[in-house]
Amino acid sequence: MMKYFFILIILYSTNLFANTQSDSLAYQLQRKKINGMLDARSSKFGLYAESLDTRTGIFGFKTKKDMQKSIDILIEIIQTDNEILKETKTLLDYKTFEQEKVLSQSKESESRNLAYMRTINKLENDRERIKNELEATENSLHSYQVLFYLLLILTLGLGVFIYRKIYQNK
């Protein structure tokens, strides 16, 4: 009985493992997307650093176009940061979903295991009760057999006694 219980647990746990792999694939794809966005941000920040050093004006001064280019690059960096934050929230939602799923599956598995254990205990108690009833029945049957044999011996003895009385009187 316990073998079947352990086999069920093993089969159920492999099913849990297969489900978590598909979820972690989505999580890994989201991480790659965020890492790509971070790389793009780094390159934009490098362009911003270059734009700060760019001076196309007379006597090496910055022009209005140079400053506008730097501002445009900063706006792109901010937009990228906003996208990164949004995708990071999605990533955290994936992680939270995975944790909740694992937790609910763990609770479900635990409750199922407890139900199996209760069933096993109930069956063992029933088996013990039936075993005790069988022993009691066998003991009472043994008592009846002893009583039957005693009555048979008594009857035979009485029969022999009567037989002797009848034939001794003749």
Side-chain angles (χ1 to χ4, degrees):
M1 187 71 168
M2 292 300 282
K3 288 183 206 175
Y4 297 119
F5 178 68
F6 287 122
I7 289 172
L8 283 174
I9 289 174
I10 290 170
L11 289 175
Y12 185 73
S13 65
T14 57
N15 188 21
L16 285 177
F17 182 69
N19 288 340
T20 57
Q21 283 182 342
S22 65
D23 290 340
S24 63
L25 178 64
Y27 181 78
Q28 289 174 0
L29 290 174
Q30 187 68 18
R31 282 184 57 197
K32 286 181 183 178
K33 184 176 180 180
I34 291 173
N35 287 335
M37 294 173 84
L38 287 171
D39 291 340
R41 183 189 185 280
S42 296
S43 66
K44 287 178 185 177
F45 200 77
L47 289 174
Y48 173 71
E50 287 177 16
S51 73
L52 287 178
D53 292 337
T54 306
R55 297 171 189 268
T56 59
I58 302 175
F59 304 115
F61 290 113
K62 285 193 133 209
T63 63
K64 186 176 181 181
K65 286 184 181 180
D66 293 338
M67 290 175 35
Q68 186 62 43
K69 186 177 179 185
S70 296
I71 290 170
D72 290 342
I73 292 172
L74 274 177
I75 289 172
E76 288 178 19
I77 290 173
I78 290 170
Q79 289 172 345
T80 304
D81 286 348
N82 288 339
E83 285 296 316
I84 289 171
L85 289 173
K86 186 173 116 180
E87 295 299 326
T88 303
K89 183 184 180 318
T90 304
L91 183 70
L92 289 174
D93 290 344
Y94 275 136
K95 193 65 172 175
T96 303
F97 172 73
E98 286 179 0
Q99 289 173 346
E100 288 173 353
K101 187 174 180 179
V102 167
L103 184 64
S104 69
Q105 287 176 343
S106 172
K107 286 181 181 179
E108 181 182 323
S109 174
E110 185 177 333
S111 66
R112 185 175 292 135
N113 290 346
L114 287 173
Y116 288 146
M117 290 170 67
R118 275 188 238 116
T119 303
I120 289 169
N121 286 338
K122 181 183 177 287
L123 290 173
E124 286 178 350
N125 290 339
D126 288 348
R127 185 182 60 85
E128 190 67 33
R129 180 184 51 81
I130 291 171
K131 181 181 172 185
N132 290 340
E133 288 176 4
L134 180 63
E135 287 176 1
T137 304
E138 286 176 350
N139 287 340
S140 66
L141 180 63
H142 182 68
S143 299
Y144 287 133
Q145 285 175 343
V146 168
L147 183 62
F148 174 74
Y149 290 130
L150 285 176
L151 286 175
L152 183 63
I153 291 171
L154 184 65
T155 306
L156 288 175
L158 186 61
V160 168
F161 178 73
I162 293 174
Y163 179 74
R164 285 188 177 174
K165 276 285 196 186
I166 292 176
Y167 286 110
Q168 281 181 359
N169 288 340
K170 286 190 180 185

